[in-house]
Amino acid sequence: MGNNLVQKTILYHEETKHSPSRYAKSSGFMDWENQPEPFRLFEGCPALGFPLSKKDSDAAYTCLYERGQNHTQEITFNNIGAFIELSMGISAWKSFQGSSWALRMNPSSGNLHPTELYLILPPMPEMGDKGGVFHYNPYFHALFARAGFDAPFWDSVRSHFNLDGFFVGLSSIFWRESWKYGERAFRYCNHDVGHAMACLSFSANLLGWRVTYLNTLSSEDIETMLGFSKTKWVEFEREHPDLLLFVCKNTDMDIPRSMDNESLLQFRSLPFVGKPNPLSGDHVDWNIIDQAALWTEKPRTDEMIYRYNSYPFLDGKCVDKKAAKIIRQRRSGQTYDGETSITREEFLSIMDRTMPRDKSAPFDLELGEVSVHMVIFVHRVTDMDSGLYFLVRNEDHFEDIKSGTDPGLLWEKPDFIPDTLPLYILKRCDCKAEAQMVSCDQDIAGDSAFSVGMIAKFRENIEKSPYLYRHLFWETGMVGQVLYLEAEVYSVRGTGIGCFYDDLVHQLLGFRDNSYQSLYHFTVGGSVEDERLTTLSPYHHLEKNGK
Ligand SMILES: Cc1cc2nc3c(=O)[nH]c(=O)nc-3n(C[C@H](O)[C@H](O)[C@H](O)COP(=O)(O)O)c2cc1C
Protein backbone atom coordinates (compact mmCIF):
# COMPACT_ATOMS: atom_id res chain seq x y z
CA MET A 1 0.00 0.00 0.00
CA GLY A 2 2.73 2.45 1.10
CA ASN A 3 4.78 1.70 -2.03
CA ASN A 4 1.71 2.04 -4.12
CA LEU A 5 1.13 5.57 -2.87
CA VAL A 6 4.76 6.45 -3.55
CA GLN A 7 4.40 5.29 -7.14
CA LYS A 8 1.12 7.12 -7.57
CA THR A 9 2.53 10.36 -6.19
CA ILE A 10 5.46 10.09 -8.57
CA LEU A 11 2.99 9.34 -11.35
CA TYR A 12 1.12 12.59 -10.62
CA HIS A 13 4.40 14.45 -10.74
CA GLU A 14 5.42 12.87 -14.06
CA GLU A 15 1.98 13.40 -15.59
CA THR A 16 2.03 17.09 -14.79
CA LYS A 17 5.46 17.89 -16.19
CA HIS A 18 5.65 20.44 -18.97
CA SER A 19 7.91 19.89 -21.96
CA PRO A 20 8.15 21.90 -25.19
CA SER A 21 6.25 19.16 -27.00
CA ARG A 22 3.71 18.33 -24.30
CA TYR A 23 2.21 20.60 -21.64
CA ALA A 24 0.38 19.14 -18.63
CA LYS A 25 -3.32 18.68 -19.42
CA SER A 26 -5.54 21.73 -19.08
CA SER A 27 -8.59 23.11 -20.88
CA GLY A 28 -6.35 25.10 -23.18
CA PHE A 29 -8.71 28.08 -23.07
CA MET A 30 -10.12 30.44 -20.47
CA ASP A 31 -13.77 29.76 -19.66
CA TRP A 32 -14.47 33.30 -18.43
CA GLU A 33 -18.16 32.47 -17.77
CA ASN A 34 -17.09 30.09 -15.03
CA GLN A 35 -14.10 31.92 -13.59
CA PRO A 36 -14.16 31.03 -9.87
CA GLU A 37 -15.15 33.77 -7.45
CA PRO A 38 -11.92 34.84 -5.65
CA PHE A 39 -13.50 35.42 -2.21
CA ARG A 40 -15.02 32.62 -0.15
CA LEU A 41 -18.01 33.63 1.96
CA PHE A 42 -19.79 31.38 4.45
CA GLU A 43 -23.41 32.42 4.39
CA GLY A 44 -25.34 32.27 7.65
CA CYS A 45 -22.33 32.86 9.90
CA PRO A 46 -22.09 35.82 12.28
CA ALA A 47 -19.54 38.33 10.91
CA LEU A 48 -16.96 40.15 12.96
CA GLY A 49 -14.96 42.89 11.19
CA PHE A 50 -11.35 43.59 12.04
CA PRO A 51 -10.43 47.27 12.20
CA LEU A 52 -8.06 48.32 9.40
CA SER A 53 -4.57 49.34 10.55
CA LYS A 54 -4.24 53.10 10.79
CA LYS A 55 -0.47 52.98 11.02
CA ASP A 56 1.96 50.17 10.36
CA SER A 57 4.93 49.49 12.59
CA ASP A 58 8.00 51.40 11.45
CA ALA A 59 10.32 48.47 12.11
CA ALA A 60 13.32 48.18 9.76
CA TYR A 61 13.21 45.46 7.11
CA THR A 62 15.74 43.34 9.00
CA CYS A 63 13.05 42.97 11.70
CA LEU A 64 11.17 40.73 9.27
CA TYR A 65 13.69 38.02 9.95
CA GLU A 66 15.34 38.44 13.30
CA ARG A 67 13.49 37.66 16.48
CA GLY A 68 14.37 39.74 19.46
CA GLN A 69 14.39 42.96 17.41
CA ASN A 70 10.61 43.32 17.69
CA HIS A 71 8.65 44.61 20.64
CA THR A 72 6.20 41.89 21.73
CA GLN A 73 2.56 42.96 21.43
CA GLU A 74 -0.36 41.52 23.37
CA ILE A 75 -2.49 38.90 21.62
CA THR A 76 -5.65 40.97 21.20
CA PHE A 77 -8.41 40.88 18.61
CA ASN A 78 -7.17 44.08 16.96
CA ASN A 79 -3.55 42.89 16.85
CA ILE A 80 -4.69 39.61 15.28
CA GLY A 81 -6.42 41.75 12.65
CA ALA A 82 -3.16 43.62 12.00
CA PHE A 83 -1.30 40.30 11.75
CA ILE A 84 -3.72 38.96 9.14
CA GLU A 85 -3.98 42.24 7.24
CA LEU A 86 -0.22 42.31 6.67
CA SER A 87 -0.01 38.67 5.63
CA MET A 88 -3.19 37.66 3.81
CA GLY A 89 -5.08 40.94 3.35
CA ILE A 90 -5.60 42.94 0.17
CA SER A 91 -2.60 45.05 -0.91
CA ALA A 92 -4.22 47.03 -3.77
CA TRP A 93 -6.83 46.94 -6.51
CA LYS A 94 -5.83 47.20 -10.13
CA SER A 95 -8.20 48.26 -12.85
CA PHE A 96 -8.07 48.35 -16.63
CA GLN A 97 -10.79 49.04 -19.20
CA GLY A 98 -13.68 48.64 -16.79
CA SER A 99 -12.53 45.52 -14.99
CA SER A 100 -10.79 45.51 -11.63
CA TRP A 101 -9.13 42.87 -9.50
CA ALA A 102 -7.62 42.70 -6.04
CA LEU A 103 -3.99 41.89 -5.29
CA ARG A 104 -3.02 40.48 -1.94
CA MET A 105 -0.04 40.54 0.38
CA ASN A 106 0.45 36.86 -0.48
CA PRO A 107 1.08 36.15 -4.16
CA SER A 108 -0.73 33.44 -6.05
CA SER A 109 -0.24 31.71 -9.35
CA GLY A 110 -2.43 33.49 -11.87
CA ASN A 111 -3.76 35.68 -9.00
CA LEU A 112 -6.37 32.95 -8.44
CA HIS A 113 -5.85 32.59 -4.69
CA PRO A 114 -6.80 29.01 -3.86
CA THR A 115 -5.56 29.37 -0.25
CA GLU A 116 -8.19 30.02 2.44
CA LEU A 117 -7.41 31.02 6.00
CA TYR A 118 -9.08 30.01 9.27
CA LEU A 119 -8.49 31.18 12.81
CA ILE A 120 -9.20 29.26 15.99
CA LEU A 121 -9.29 31.92 18.68
CA PRO A 122 -9.57 31.94 22.47
CA PRO A 123 -12.49 33.76 24.11
CA MET A 124 -12.09 37.54 23.69
CA PRO A 125 -14.31 40.48 24.69
CA GLU A 126 -14.92 41.45 21.02
CA MET A 127 -16.41 37.99 20.50
CA GLY A 128 -18.77 38.16 23.49
CA ASP A 129 -16.17 36.32 25.58
CA LYS A 130 -16.58 33.27 23.38
CA GLY A 131 -13.89 31.49 21.43
CA GLY A 132 -14.43 29.94 18.05
CA VAL A 133 -13.45 28.63 14.65
CA PHE A 134 -13.56 31.46 12.10
CA HIS A 135 -13.13 31.78 8.38
CA TYR A 136 -11.26 34.90 7.25
CA ASN A 137 -12.64 36.83 4.30
CA PRO A 138 -10.02 39.27 2.91
CA TYR A 139 -12.57 41.35 0.94
CA PHE A 140 -14.34 42.41 4.15
CA HIS A 141 -11.24 41.97 6.31
CA ALA A 142 -13.64 40.11 8.59
CA LEU A 143 -14.10 36.84 10.39
CA PHE A 144 -17.12 34.61 9.90
CA ALA A 145 -17.86 32.45 12.94
CA ARG A 146 -18.35 28.83 11.91
CA ALA A 147 -18.37 27.42 15.46
CA GLY A 148 -18.26 28.86 18.95
CA PHE A 149 -17.03 27.51 22.26
CA ASP A 150 -16.79 28.68 25.82
CA ALA A 151 -13.89 29.21 28.22
CA PRO A 152 -13.65 25.64 29.62
CA PHE A 153 -13.29 24.26 26.04
CA TRP A 154 -10.36 26.62 25.44
CA ASP A 155 -8.81 25.99 28.87
CA SER A 156 -8.32 22.37 27.90
CA VAL A 157 -6.62 23.33 24.61
CA ARG A 158 -4.50 25.94 26.34
CA SER A 159 -3.35 23.56 29.04
CA HIS A 160 -1.70 21.34 26.39
CA PHE A 161 0.38 24.26 25.10
CA ASN A 162 0.80 25.89 28.48
CA LEU A 163 0.99 29.19 26.62
CA ASP A 164 -1.41 31.85 25.38
CA GLY A 165 -1.83 31.71 21.66
CA PHE A 166 -4.15 30.82 18.80
CA PHE A 167 -4.27 28.69 15.67
CA VAL A 168 -4.15 29.50 11.98
CA GLY A 169 -5.43 26.89 9.53
CA LEU A 170 -4.80 26.91 5.78
CA SER A 171 -6.79 25.06 3.16
CA SER A 172 -6.87 24.92 -0.65
CA ILE A 173 -9.68 25.13 -3.18
CA PHE A 174 -8.11 23.25 -6.07
CA TRP A 175 -10.82 24.28 -8.53
CA ARG A 176 -9.79 27.95 -8.30
CA GLU A 177 -6.42 27.01 -9.77
CA SER A 178 -7.37 24.05 -12.01
CA TRP A 179 -9.94 26.25 -13.77
CA LYS A 180 -6.95 27.82 -15.53
CA TYR A 181 -4.06 25.40 -15.12
CA GLY A 182 -5.75 21.96 -15.27
CA GLU A 183 -3.83 19.01 -13.88
CA ARG A 184 -0.69 20.93 -12.85
CA ALA A 185 -2.79 23.06 -10.48
CA PHE A 186 -2.22 20.87 -7.42
CA ARG A 187 1.43 21.93 -7.53
CA TYR A 188 0.49 25.62 -7.73
CA CYS A 189 -1.94 25.37 -4.82
CA ASN A 190 0.89 24.00 -2.71
CA HIS A 191 3.32 26.74 -3.79
CA ASP A 192 0.71 29.23 -2.68
CA VAL A 193 0.44 27.55 0.73
CA GLY A 194 4.20 27.98 1.15
CA HIS A 195 4.01 31.67 0.22
CA ALA A 196 1.19 32.11 2.75
CA MET A 197 3.17 30.36 5.50
CA ALA A 198 6.11 32.73 5.00
CA CYS A 199 3.78 35.76 4.89
CA LEU A 200 2.24 34.71 8.20
CA SER A 201 5.60 34.10 9.84
CA PHE A 202 6.96 37.51 8.77
CA SER A 203 3.84 39.39 9.82
CA ALA A 204 3.77 37.64 13.21
CA ASN A 205 7.43 38.47 13.76
CA LEU A 206 6.73 42.20 13.39
CA LEU A 207 4.32 41.88 16.35
CA GLY A 208 6.89 39.96 18.37
CA TRP A 209 4.97 36.71 17.76
CA ARG A 210 6.17 33.37 16.55
CA VAL A 211 4.48 30.88 14.22
CA THR A 212 5.06 27.13 14.59
CA TYR A 213 3.96 24.35 12.24
CA LEU A 214 2.10 21.58 14.11
CA ASN A 215 3.85 18.64 12.50
CA THR A 216 2.12 15.70 14.21
CA LEU A 217 -1.41 16.41 12.96
CA SER A 218 -3.01 14.38 10.18
CA SER A 219 -5.02 15.91 7.34
CA GLU A 220 -8.07 14.35 9.00
CA ASP A 221 -7.31 16.07 12.33
CA ILE A 222 -7.15 19.43 10.59
CA GLU A 223 -10.35 18.71 8.70
CA THR A 224 -12.03 17.93 12.03
CA MET A 225 -10.78 21.08 13.74
CA LEU A 226 -11.86 23.30 10.83
CA GLY A 227 -15.25 21.62 10.53
CA PHE A 228 -14.83 20.57 6.89
CA SER A 229 -16.47 17.20 7.34
CA LYS A 230 -19.56 19.02 8.70
CA THR A 231 -19.78 21.42 5.76
CA LYS A 232 -22.01 20.95 2.74
CA TRP A 233 -19.60 21.78 -0.08
CA VAL A 234 -20.58 22.56 -3.64
CA GLU A 235 -19.31 19.69 -5.79
CA PHE A 236 -15.74 20.34 -7.04
CA GLU A 237 -15.34 23.28 -4.64
CA ARG A 238 -14.51 21.38 -1.47
CA GLU A 239 -11.66 22.83 0.60
CA HIS A 240 -8.77 20.51 1.34
CA PRO A 241 -7.01 20.84 4.69
CA ASP A 242 -3.35 21.83 4.40
CA LEU A 243 -1.98 22.61 7.82
CA LEU A 244 -2.39 24.14 11.24
CA LEU A 245 0.00 26.68 12.77
CA PHE A 246 0.22 27.77 16.39
CA VAL A 247 0.88 31.48 16.98
CA CYS A 248 2.18 32.75 20.32
CA LYS A 249 4.39 35.49 21.72
CA ASN A 250 8.10 35.05 21.04
CA THR A 251 9.57 32.43 23.27
CA ASP A 252 12.63 30.17 23.23
CA MET A 253 10.53 27.44 24.81
CA ASP A 254 9.92 24.34 22.73
CA ILE A 255 6.29 24.64 21.74
CA PRO A 256 4.30 21.40 21.37
CA ARG A 257 3.85 20.51 17.70
CA SER A 258 0.80 18.43 18.53
CA MET A 259 -2.76 18.56 19.82
CA ASP A 260 -3.85 16.37 22.68
CA ASN A 261 -6.52 13.75 22.02
CA GLU A 262 -8.96 15.28 24.47
CA SER A 263 -8.96 18.61 22.61
CA LEU A 264 -9.34 16.85 19.27
CA LEU A 265 -12.37 15.03 20.65
CA GLN A 266 -13.83 18.34 21.79
CA PHE A 267 -13.46 19.75 18.26
CA ARG A 268 -15.07 16.62 16.85
CA SER A 269 -18.24 17.31 18.82
CA LEU A 270 -18.51 21.01 17.87
CA PRO A 271 -21.50 22.00 15.73
CA PHE A 272 -20.52 24.09 12.66
CA VAL A 273 -22.74 26.54 10.80
CA GLY A 274 -22.49 28.27 7.43
CA LYS A 275 -22.98 27.50 3.78
CA PRO A 276 -20.05 28.11 1.42
CA ASN A 277 -20.88 30.44 -1.49
CA PRO A 278 -20.77 28.75 -4.91
CA LEU A 279 -17.66 29.86 -6.82
CA SER A 280 -18.55 28.82 -10.40
CA GLY A 281 -21.66 27.76 -12.27
CA ASP A 282 -19.94 24.90 -14.03
CA HIS A 283 -16.78 22.89 -13.45
CA VAL A 284 -14.32 20.58 -15.14
CA ASP A 285 -13.51 17.43 -13.19
CA TRP A 286 -9.69 17.31 -12.95
CA ASN A 287 -9.88 14.01 -11.14
CA ILE A 288 -6.12 13.41 -10.89
CA ILE A 289 -5.89 16.40 -8.54
CA ASP A 290 -8.32 14.93 -6.03
CA GLN A 291 -6.42 11.67 -6.36
CA ALA A 292 -3.09 13.39 -5.76
CA ALA A 293 -4.56 15.04 -2.67
CA LEU A 294 -5.63 11.63 -1.42
CA TRP A 295 -2.29 9.99 -2.18
CA THR A 296 -0.42 12.73 -0.34
CA GLU A 297 -2.76 12.97 2.66
CA LYS A 298 -0.83 13.39 5.86
CA PRO A 299 -1.13 10.67 8.52
CA ARG A 300 -0.47 11.43 12.19
CA THR A 301 3.29 11.43 12.70
CA ASP A 302 5.71 11.61 15.62
CA GLU A 303 6.50 15.02 17.03
CA MET A 304 9.66 16.49 15.50
CA ILE A 305 11.80 19.46 16.44
CA TYR A 306 14.11 20.86 13.76
CA ARG A 307 17.23 22.94 14.27
CA TYR A 308 18.91 25.05 11.62
CA ASN A 309 22.10 27.09 11.72
CA SER A 310 22.54 30.29 13.67
CA TYR A 311 25.05 32.23 11.53
CA PRO A 312 24.47 35.97 11.62
CA PHE A 313 22.91 37.37 8.43
CA LEU A 314 25.19 39.09 5.92
CA ASP A 315 24.85 42.85 6.09
CA GLY A 316 22.88 43.91 3.01
CA LYS A 317 23.46 47.66 3.62
CA CYS A 318 19.81 48.54 3.23
CA VAL A 319 18.71 49.19 6.78
CA ASP A 320 16.72 52.31 5.95
CA LYS A 321 13.88 50.29 4.38
CA LYS A 322 10.76 49.63 6.48
CA ALA A 323 9.47 46.08 6.85
CA ALA A 324 5.74 46.79 6.56
CA LYS A 325 6.26 49.02 3.54
CA ILE A 326 8.22 46.27 1.81
CA ILE A 327 5.39 43.81 2.48
CA ARG A 328 2.73 46.20 1.17
CA GLN A 329 4.59 47.21 -1.98
CA ARG A 330 5.44 43.63 -3.06
CA ARG A 331 4.22 42.89 -6.59
CA SER A 332 5.12 40.43 -9.30
CA GLY A 333 7.09 41.92 -12.17
CA GLN A 334 5.23 41.27 -15.43
CA THR A 335 8.05 42.34 -17.75
CA TYR A 336 11.75 42.86 -17.06
CA ASP A 337 13.90 45.51 -18.73
CA GLY A 338 16.88 43.36 -19.75
CA GLU A 339 19.23 46.03 -18.33
CA THR A 340 19.06 46.52 -14.58
CA SER A 341 21.87 44.97 -12.55
CA ILE A 342 22.12 44.38 -8.84
CA THR A 343 25.43 44.47 -6.98
CA ARG A 344 27.34 41.41 -5.85
CA GLU A 345 26.80 42.42 -2.23
CA GLU A 346 23.05 42.62 -2.79
CA PHE A 347 22.99 39.28 -4.58
CA LEU A 348 24.89 37.53 -1.80
CA SER A 349 22.66 39.08 0.81
CA ILE A 350 19.53 37.89 -1.02
CA MET A 351 20.93 34.35 -1.24
CA ASP A 352 21.87 34.48 2.44
CA ARG A 353 18.31 35.43 3.46
CA THR A 354 16.98 32.24 1.89
CA MET A 355 19.10 30.13 4.26
CA PRO A 356 17.08 28.69 7.16
CA ARG A 357 18.17 29.85 10.59
CA ASP A 358 17.09 29.22 14.13
CA LYS A 359 15.14 32.03 15.75
CA SER A 360 14.58 33.71 12.39
CA ALA A 361 11.41 34.06 10.38
CA PRO A 362 10.19 32.50 8.25
CA PHE A 363 12.00 29.15 8.35
CA ASP A 364 11.89 28.77 12.13
CA LEU A 365 8.25 27.80 11.79
CA GLU A 366 10.03 24.44 11.28
CA LEU A 367 8.41 22.88 8.28
CA GLY A 368 10.94 20.04 8.39
CA GLU A 369 14.35 19.04 7.11
CA VAL A 370 15.64 21.48 4.53
CA SER A 371 15.17 19.81 1.14
CA VAL A 372 15.14 22.64 -1.39
CA HIS A 373 18.27 24.00 -3.10
CA MET A 374 18.67 26.53 -5.87
CA VAL A 375 20.34 26.55 -9.25
CA ILE A 376 20.84 30.20 -10.12
CA PHE A 377 21.15 31.67 -13.61
CA VAL A 378 23.20 34.83 -12.98
CA HIS A 379 22.70 37.38 -15.77
CA ARG A 380 23.28 40.86 -14.41
CA VAL A 381 25.15 41.03 -11.13
CA THR A 382 28.04 43.50 -11.05
CA ASP A 383 31.49 42.08 -10.20
CA MET A 384 30.27 38.53 -10.67
CA ASP A 385 30.78 36.27 -13.65
CA SER A 386 27.57 35.42 -15.44
CA GLY A 387 26.79 31.75 -15.35
CA LEU A 388 25.24 28.91 -13.45
CA TYR A 389 25.57 28.86 -9.67
CA PHE A 390 24.21 26.51 -7.01
CA LEU A 391 23.12 27.31 -3.47
CA VAL A 392 23.22 24.20 -1.27
CA ARG A 393 20.62 25.09 1.39
CA ASN A 394 21.26 21.87 3.28
CA GLU A 395 24.98 21.04 3.24
CA ASP A 396 24.31 17.40 4.16
CA HIS A 397 23.18 16.99 0.54
CA PHE A 398 26.31 18.49 -1.02
CA GLU A 399 28.11 15.27 -2.03
CA ASP A 400 24.88 13.65 -3.15
CA ILE A 401 24.03 16.56 -5.43
CA LYS A 402 27.55 16.95 -6.77
CA SER A 403 27.87 13.25 -7.63
CA GLY A 404 24.41 13.25 -9.25
CA THR A 405 25.15 16.13 -11.63
CA ASP A 406 27.29 16.52 -14.73
CA PRO A 407 30.95 15.72 -13.81
CA GLY A 408 32.10 18.68 -15.94
CA LEU A 409 30.54 21.25 -13.58
CA LEU A 410 33.04 23.34 -11.59
CA TRP A 411 31.62 23.40 -8.03
CA GLU A 412 34.12 26.17 -7.20
CA LYS A 413 33.63 28.66 -4.40
CA PRO A 414 35.12 32.03 -5.44
CA ASP A 415 36.97 33.93 -2.67
CA PHE A 416 34.35 36.67 -2.38
CA ILE A 417 31.68 34.21 -1.21
CA PRO A 418 31.54 34.19 2.60
CA ASP A 419 32.31 30.91 4.40
CA THR A 420 28.78 30.80 5.83
CA LEU A 421 27.14 30.79 2.38
CA PRO A 422 27.27 27.42 0.54
CA LEU A 423 27.15 29.03 -2.92
CA TYR A 424 29.16 27.51 -5.78
CA ILE A 425 29.81 28.40 -9.39
CA LEU A 426 29.04 25.52 -11.74
CA LYS A 427 29.74 27.14 -15.11
CA ARG A 428 30.79 30.55 -16.44
CA CYS A 429 28.53 31.36 -19.38
CA ASP A 430 25.86 33.61 -20.76
CA CYS A 431 22.79 31.59 -19.76
CA LYS A 432 20.01 34.09 -20.51
CA ALA A 433 18.64 32.10 -23.43
CA GLU A 434 18.82 28.84 -21.50
CA ALA A 435 17.09 30.34 -18.45
CA GLN A 436 14.33 31.71 -20.62
CA MET A 437 13.94 28.49 -22.58
CA VAL A 438 13.61 26.21 -19.52
CA SER A 439 11.05 28.60 -17.97
CA CYS A 440 8.53 27.86 -20.74
CA ASP A 441 10.19 30.43 -22.98
CA GLN A 442 9.12 33.27 -20.68
CA ASP A 443 11.28 36.38 -21.29
CA ILE A 444 11.08 37.26 -17.59
CA ALA A 445 13.62 34.50 -16.78
CA GLY A 446 16.29 35.94 -19.11
CA ASP A 447 15.64 39.71 -18.92
CA SER A 448 16.19 39.81 -15.15
CA ALA A 449 19.30 40.14 -12.96
CA PHE A 450 19.07 36.48 -12.07
CA SER A 451 16.59 33.63 -12.18
CA VAL A 452 16.36 30.48 -10.17
CA GLY A 453 15.29 26.85 -10.37
CA MET A 454 14.44 25.36 -6.97
CA ILE A 455 15.87 21.84 -6.89
CA ALA A 456 14.33 19.58 -4.25
CA LYS A 457 15.62 16.31 -2.86
CA PHE A 458 12.75 14.37 -4.31
CA ARG A 459 12.57 10.57 -4.49
CA GLU A 460 13.95 9.91 -1.02
CA ASN A 461 11.41 12.28 0.52
CA ILE A 462 8.47 10.77 -1.35
CA GLU A 463 9.66 7.28 -0.41
CA LYS A 464 9.83 8.36 3.23
CA SER A 465 6.20 9.44 3.00
CA PRO A 466 4.16 10.75 0.08
CA TYR A 467 2.74 13.63 2.13
CA LEU A 468 6.21 15.18 1.94
CA TYR A 469 5.42 15.88 -1.72
CA ARG A 470 3.28 18.76 -0.53
CA HIS A 471 5.92 19.89 1.98
CA LEU A 472 8.49 20.20 -0.81
CA PHE A 473 6.22 22.60 -2.67
CA TRP A 474 5.49 24.51 0.54
CA GLU A 475 9.21 24.92 1.12
CA THR A 476 9.71 26.32 -2.40
CA GLY A 477 6.88 28.78 -1.77
CA MET A 478 8.54 29.95 1.43
CA VAL A 479 11.84 30.49 -0.39
CA GLY A 480 9.91 32.31 -3.12
CA GLN A 481 8.38 34.68 -0.59
CA VAL A 482 11.83 35.58 0.77
CA LEU A 483 12.95 36.31 -2.80
CA TYR A 484 9.87 38.50 -3.42
CA LEU A 485 10.56 40.66 -0.36
CA GLU A 486 14.32 40.80 -0.89
CA ALA A 487 13.78 42.00 -4.45
CA GLU A 488 11.70 44.91 -3.10
CA VAL A 489 14.40 45.75 -0.55
CA TYR A 490 16.90 46.33 -3.38
CA SER A 491 14.43 48.31 -5.52
CA VAL A 492 13.96 45.55 -8.04
CA ARG A 493 11.08 43.11 -8.38
CA GLY A 494 10.48 39.35 -8.29
CA THR A 495 8.12 36.93 -10.01
CA GLY A 496 7.27 33.33 -9.15
CA ILE A 497 7.43 31.02 -12.17
CA GLY A 498 5.29 27.90 -12.02
CA CYS A 499 5.58 27.22 -15.74
CA PHE A 500 8.87 25.53 -16.67
CA TYR A 501 10.01 22.51 -18.64
CA ASP A 502 10.80 20.14 -15.79
CA ASP A 503 13.10 17.63 -17.43
CA LEU A 504 15.03 20.19 -19.45
CA VAL A 505 16.16 21.71 -16.15
CA HIS A 506 17.29 18.28 -14.95
CA GLN A 507 19.16 17.65 -18.20
CA LEU A 508 20.89 21.00 -17.92
CA LEU A 509 22.41 19.93 -14.62
CA GLY A 510 22.98 16.33 -15.68
CA PHE A 511 20.58 14.66 -13.22
CA ARG A 512 19.89 11.20 -14.60
CA ASP A 513 17.01 10.15 -12.32
CA ASN A 514 14.43 11.68 -9.99
CA SER A 515 16.64 11.90 -6.89
CA TYR A 516 16.33 15.67 -7.37
CA GLN A 517 13.61 17.55 -9.20
CA SER A 518 13.10 21.20 -10.05
CA LEU A 519 9.81 22.25 -8.45
CA TYR A 520 9.56 26.04 -8.82
CA HIS A 521 11.29 28.84 -10.67
CA PHE A 522 11.73 32.48 -9.80
CA THR A 523 13.18 35.61 -11.34
CA VAL A 524 14.47 38.89 -9.87
CA GLY A 525 15.34 42.06 -11.78
CA GLY A 526 14.41 45.55 -12.96
CA SER A 527 10.75 45.41 -13.93
CA VAL A 528 8.83 47.56 -16.39
CA GLU A 529 5.55 48.72 -14.90
CA ASP A 530 2.37 48.59 -16.96
CA GLU A 531 1.34 52.27 -17.00
CA ARG A 532 -2.09 51.44 -18.43
CA LEU A 533 -3.31 50.03 -15.12
CA THR A 534 -4.94 52.20 -12.47
CA THR A 535 -4.14 51.42 -8.83
CA LEU A 536 -6.72 51.81 -6.06
CA SER A 537 -6.20 51.58 -2.32
CA PRO A 538 -6.72 48.14 -0.77
CA TYR A 539 -9.89 48.80 1.21
CA HIS A 540 -11.48 51.70 -0.67
CA HIS A 541 -14.56 49.50 -1.17
CA LEU A 542 -15.11 49.34 2.61
CA GLU A 543 -14.36 52.99 3.24
CA LYS A 544 -17.02 53.94 0.71
CA ASN A 545 -19.56 51.93 2.70
CA GLY A 546 -18.63 53.83 5.83
CA LYS A 547 -16.66 51.09 7.57
C1 LIG B 1 3.28 29.78 -7.49
C2 LIG B 1 3.32 30.94 -8.45
C3 LIG B 1 3.59 30.70 -9.78
C4 LIG B 1 3.62 31.77 -10.69
N1 LIG B 1 3.94 31.53 -12.00
C5 LIG B 1 4.05 32.56 -12.87
C6 LIG B 1 4.52 32.34 -14.21
O1 LIG B 1 4.83 31.20 -14.62
N2 LIG B 1 4.63 33.44 -15.02
C7 LIG B 1 4.31 34.70 -14.59
O2 LIG B 1 4.42 35.66 -15.37
N3 LIG B 1 3.88 34.94 -13.32
C8 LIG B 1 3.76 33.90 -12.46
N4 LIG B 1 3.38 34.13 -11.14
C9 LIG B 1 3.02 35.48 -10.69
C10 LIG B 1 1.51 35.62 -10.44
O3 LIG B 1 0.84 35.71 -11.65
C11 LIG B 1 1.24 36.80 -9.51
O4 LIG B 1 1.69 36.46 -8.23
C12 LIG B 1 -0.25 37.12 -9.43
O5 LIG B 1 -0.72 37.65 -10.63
C13 LIG B 1 -0.55 38.09 -8.31
O6 LIG B 1 0.14 39.29 -8.48
P1 LIG B 1 1.08 39.87 -7.35
O7 LIG B 1 2.18 38.86 -7.13
O8 LIG B 1 1.61 41.16 -7.92
O9 LIG B 1 0.27 40.04 -6.10
C14 LIG B 1 3.36 33.09 -10.23
C15 LIG B 1 3.12 33.30 -8.88
C16 LIG B 1 3.10 32.26 -7.98
C17 LIG B 1 2.87 32.53 -6.53
Side-chain angles (χ1 to χ4, degrees), residues 59-63 314-323 326 343 345-346 349-350 353 485-492:
Y61 97 91
T62 51
C63 299
L314 297 180
D315 179 6
K317 301 266 184 304
C318 227
V319 278
D320 57 326
K321 298 277 168 86
K322 302 289 182 223
I326 293 289
T343 67
E345 194 179 32
E346 290 166 348
S349 186
I350 294 171
R353 294 273 166 187
L485 297 185
E486 285 298 300
E488 299 290 338
V489 168
Y490 298 108
S491 306
V492 283

Side-chain angles (χ1 to χ4, degrees), residues 179-195:
W179 166 76
K180 179 170 179 188
Y181 296 109
E183 294 192 342
R184 198 168 160 104
F186 182 63
R187 299 175 174 216
Y188 298 165
C189 290
N190 284 299
H191 287 310
D192 283 8
V193 169
H195 280 284

Side-chain angles (χ1 to χ4, degrees), residues 91 103-113 181 187-188 191-192 195 330-334 442 444 484 495-500 520:
S91 55
L103 298 177
R104 306 198 200 176
M105 306 293 172
N106 56 316
S108 167
S109 186
N111 200 29
L112 295 164
H113 289 284
Y181 296 109
R187 299 175 174 216
Y188 298 165
H191 287 310
D192 283 8
H195 280 284
R330 182 211 63 78
R331 300 280 182 278
S332 291
Q334 310 278 319
Q442 298 185 76
I444 56 174
Y484 263 121
T495 310
I497 302 183
C499 187
F500 55 88
Y520 189 25

